Amino acid sequence: MIGLVVVSHSRRLAEGVAELAGQMAPDVRIAPSGGDGSGGLGTDYAAVAEAISRADSGGGVVVLYDLGSARMVAEMAAEEAGTPVVVADAPLVEGAVAAAVAAQGGASADEVAAAARAAYHAGATPAFAAPDTDPLAGAAGDAEVPAPSTEDAVRSDVVLTNDVGLHARPAALVARALAGLDARVLVRYGEQEADAASVLALMGLGAPGGARVEVVATGPDAAEAVRRVSALAARNFDE
Amino acid sequence: MGCGADEVVAALRAAAVVVAEHREELVRLDRAIGDGDHGENLHRGFSAVVSKLDGSAPATPGAVLKLAATTLISTVGGAAGPLYGTAFLRAATAVGDAPELDAALVAGALRAALEGVVARGKAVVGDKTMVDALTPAVTAAEDVAEGGVDVAAVLAAAAGAAEEGARSTEPLVARKGRASYLGERSAGHLDPGAWSTSLLLRSFAGGAR
C-alpha cells in the first residue's frame, strides 16, 4: 500500500492534515513533517527524508506539500529516497484526503498522485465539468470516454437512509468500494452530479440523510459498481 | 595559479564571515517581501559548514564543495537550503575529483550550479530570484575564462556581474517564491536571494586572492 507524507512549513498544519486524511483511510501510513526542526516555521530536509521512510511500507510514497520551498525539499528528499516517491502538485487538504482514499483503495503511486491533483477540481460543482481528464478521479468532459448518460449505462435510484447522507465517511466508503473496478460511476443529486471515485466531489453534492440519489455507471464493471453502492446504502453505510 | 582544496575551504570560511556580517541586512530584505528568515537561515547554514570544515579536511575541491552542499541542505531550511545545496552539489559534481581548479573548471562549476538552481526552483531571469544574479555571473565567468585568466579573475568577474544582476531585481515584480504572493507590492525591493548570491560570489572572489 502506498504511504503518504504531508510536508508543511507548520508542524501543526502537517499534523492536522495527516489526521484529517487518516480519518478516511485507516490503513494508510500518513507521516506528517512540519516545521524547521527547532519549533519554528519552515521545512527540514532530514525530517522529510525520515517521514518518507516512516510512510513507506515497501510500495512507495506520495508526498504532498504546502508552499514552494516545501516542494523543493520534498523533491530533494524524493531523489535521495531508497523507495519510489512521487511529489504531487496538489492542494494540500483536499489532495491529501483524495490521495489517502485512493491509497486505501490500493491505487499505485501514480494513481494516488493523480487523485490528489484531481482534487483541484473536485468539490467544485459540477465535478464533471472539470477540465482535468485524469483517469482515476475522471471527468465526464473527457471526449474519448462516453459519459455515463448513454444507452448502455446501468442505473439505480438509491435512498440515503443513514443520518448524515453522503457526508465524509459514507463518501469515502463509496469511493473505496469502487476502487479497482473498471467502471465510470456518477452520482446524481438534483441538478448536480459527482464522480463517485472522488470523495470530495461526492461530499460536494450535499446530499443529506433521506435524499434520493441516482447512481449511473458505464464500463465492464458497471453493474457491479452500482450493486456495491446500492449495498452500502442499504446497510446505512455501516452507521 | 590553481585553486586547491585549501583555497576552496578558505573561500567558504570567507563566505561564512560575509554572511554573518550581512545577516541583519538579509533579514531586513527578506522581511520586506518574504518570510524574513533568509539571513538567519544562511547564517546557521554557513556556520555549520565552518564547523564541519573544522572537523574534517576533504582532500579535493569537489569533496569540499560536496561537504558544503550536504551541510547546507540539512541546516539552512527554507527555499535557500535546497537551492544553495543543489548549487554546491552540482558544482561539486562538475569539478569531479580534480586536485586543483583552474579558470575553466570554476566557470564550469558556476554553470553547473546555475543549472541546478534553475532545475530545482524553475525560475528564469526576471522572476526576481537568485537566478537574476547567478545567470549574468556565469556568463561573465565564462567570458573571462576563455581569455586564459586565473581563478581569481573568473570569480571577480562573476562577483561583479552578480552584484549588477542582484541590483536589477529591485524594480521587478516577483514571479517565484514567497514574494510572488505580494504581486506588485514586491517591486521596489532587492531580492534577498539574488543579494545573498552576490554576497557569496563576492566573498569567494575575495577568498581566492
Side-chain angles (χ1 to χ4, degrees):
Chain A
M1 184 174 285
I2 298 301
L4 297 185
V5 171
V6 178
V7 182
S8 170
H9 282 62
S10 154
R11 182 181 60 78
R12 285 187 291 174
L13 182 54
E15 288 173 357
V17 171
E19 180 187 12
L20 189 61
Q23 186 190 28
M24 305 287 213
D27 302 322
V28 178
R29 287 194 199 178
I30 306 175
S33 176
D36 65 357
S38 49
L41 295 174
T43 46
D44 178 352
Y45 173 80
V48 173
E50 190 269 329
I52 288 174
S53 314
R54 236 179 326 132
D56 186 36
S57 55
V61 172
V62 171
V63 183
L64 293 111
Y65 60 86
D66 61 355
L67 292 168
S69 68
R71 190 203 81 213
M72 286 190 258
V73 170
E75 285 176 353
M76 291 204 96
E79 287 161 20
E80 300 299 318
T83 191
V85 178
V86 179
V87 179
D89 177 20
L92 186 64
V93 178
E94 294 93 331
V97 171
V101 172
Q104 178 76 40
S108 70
D110 285 338
E111 288 167 337
V112 170
R117 283 194 291 271
Y120 267 127
H121 306 296
T125 32
F128 273 73
D132 199 343
T133 53
D134 167 69
L136 192 81
D142 190 340
E144 291 169 26
V145 182
S149 57
T150 49
E151 296 295 307
D152 56 351
V154 179
R155 299 156 187 276
S156 179
D157 275 352
V158 172
V159 178
L160 307 173
T161 51
N162 64 330
D163 286 341
V164 295
L166 277 180
H167 199 47
R169 202 191 56 87
L173 287 175
V174 169
R176 258 152 57 189
L178 299 174
L181 291 184
D182 186 3
R184 181 166 284 260
V185 187
L186 271 177
V187 175
R188 291 196 175 122
Y189 174 60
E191 295 297 304
Q192 295 182 309
E193 55 188 28
D195 181 353
S198 166
V199 178
L200 295 157
L202 288 174
M203 290 167 67
L205 289 174
R212 177 184 295 270
V213 300
E214 185 186 17
V215 183
V216 185
T218 53
D221 296 331
E224 173 63 14
V226 172
R227 193 196 65 74
R228 288 188 188 182
V229 177
S230 302
L232 268 175
R235 299 204 304 270
N236 276 341
F237 298 95
D238 300 327
E239 269 174 22
Chain B
M1 188 198 83
C3 170
D6 289 348
E7 283 74 25
V8 177
V9 168
L12 288 168
R13 290 183 185 279
V17 171
V18 167
V19 166
E21 285 169 358
H22 290 265
R23 178 174 69 171
E24 291 305 319
E25 178 188 32
L26 291 170
V27 166
R28 204 170 55 245
L29 289 174
D30 197 27
R31 240 179 227 146
I33 58 172
D35 50 9
D37 61 1
H38 191 54
E40 213 60 59
N41 286 347
L42 275 193
H43 182 245
R44 182 174 56 245
F46 276 89
S47 300
V49 168
V50 167
S51 300
K52 282 277 175 65
L53 293 172
D54 286 341
S56 69
T60 61
V64 176
L65 292 172
K66 184 158 188 214
L67 181 71
T70 53
T71 307
L72 292 174
I73 289 165
S74 58
T75 56
V76 172
L83 289 169
Y84 279 127
T86 301
F88 279 93
L89 207 53
R90 295 287 183 94
T93 305
V95 302
D97 53 7
E100 286 213 332
L101 306 182
D102 59 12
L105 274 173
V106 169
L110 289 171
R111 165 66 61 185
L114 170 63
E115 287 171 358
V117 168
V118 169
R120 180 69 60 210
K122 317 275 193 298
V124 297
V125 170
D127 284 350
K128 198 179 180 96
T129 71
M130 56 176 73
V131 171
D132 290 322
L134 199 48
T135 301
V138 170
T139 307
E142 287 173 342
D143 283 351
V144 302
E146 277 181 21
V149 298
D150 64 10
V151 167
V154 171
L155 290 172
E163 181 170 341
E164 204 177 313
R167 292 194 187 284
S168 78
T169 63
E170 186 160 344
L172 297 177
V173 173
R175 290 196 293 252
K176 287 282 173 191
R178 199 69 69 89
S180 63
Y181 295 102
L182 295 177
E184 297 290 335
R185 278 179 292 145
S186 64
H189 302 276
L190 277 185
D191 177 63
W195 190 241
S196 66
T197 295
S198 162
L199 291 174
L200 289 176
L201 284 169
R202 178 64 68 197
S203 69
F204 296 161
R209 283 203 188 101

